[in-house]
Amino acid sequence: MTEPEKIRVAVEIYGQTYQMVGTESSSHMRLVASLVDDMMRDISSKNRSLDTTKIAVLTAVNTVNDAIKLKERIEELENELKLLKG
């Protein structure tokens, strides 16, 4: 089995340029970077005294929290679907 081709794309997050490498499309990777940048800027605007590392950690914590909530919601919906199917 062959591995999917890796795509490389330069993105900017919170004023820093990063080389992203992945199997997703370049537009997907740019979207991810843009959302991370937006989240970091939002946190920074509400907490001006935080340094970049703390902003990045809070962004990661918020992202994982959102992912957990989504996973729990998917499980709830799957259970409801099972009940409806009988």
Side-chain angles (χ1 to χ4, degrees), residues 58-72:
L58 287 173
T59 299
V61 168
N62 289 341
T63 302
V64 171
N65 180 56
D66 290 346
I68 290 168
K69 287 180 181 178
L70 287 171
K71 184 177 178 184
E72 289 170 348

Side-chain angles (χ1 to χ4, degrees), residues 5-7 11 17 20 22-23 39-40 42 53 61 77 80:
E5 182 180 339
K6 298 222 174 170
I7 307 287
V11 297
T17 301
M20 290 180 68
T23 56
M39 291 172 76
M40 289 183 71
D42 184 54
T53 301
V61 168
L77 291 171
E80 286 180 32

Side-chain angles (χ1 to χ4, degrees), residues 10 15 20-21 25 31 40 44 49 67 69 71 74 76 79 81:
M20 290 180 68
V21 179
S25 69
L31 175 60
M40 289 183 71
S44 174
S49 64
K69 287 180 181 178
K71 184 177 178 184
I74 288 168
E76 289 172 9
N79 289 334
L81 185 59

Side-chain angles (χ1 to χ4, degrees), residues 6-81:
K6 298 222 174 170
I7 307 287
R8 296 178 190 280
V9 62
V11 297
E12 188 169 312
I13 300 172
Y14 206 67
Q16 296 291 316
T17 301
Y18 296 91
Q19 289 294 321
M20 290 180 68
V21 179
T23 56
E24 301 292 342
S25 69
S26 60
S27 62
H28 177 84
M29 289 191 281
R30 284 188 185 96
L31 175 60
V32 169
S34 176
L35 292 172
V36 171
D37 183 69
D38 289 347
M39 291 172 76
M40 289 183 71
R41 291 182 188 286
D42 184 54
I43 290 170
S44 174
S45 72
K46 295 174 183 171
N47 303 280
R48 297 250 179 229
S49 64
L50 295 177
D51 62 28
T52 302
T53 301
K54 288 182 179 155
I55 293 167
V57 169
L58 287 173
T59 299
V61 168
N62 289 341
T63 302
V64 171
N65 180 56
D66 290 346
I68 290 168
K69 287 180 181 178
L70 287 171
K71 184 177 178 184
E72 289 170 348
R73 183 65 179 138
I74 288 168
E75 289 172 1
E76 289 172 9
L77 291 171
E78 286 173 341
N79 289 334
E80 286 180 32
L81 185 59

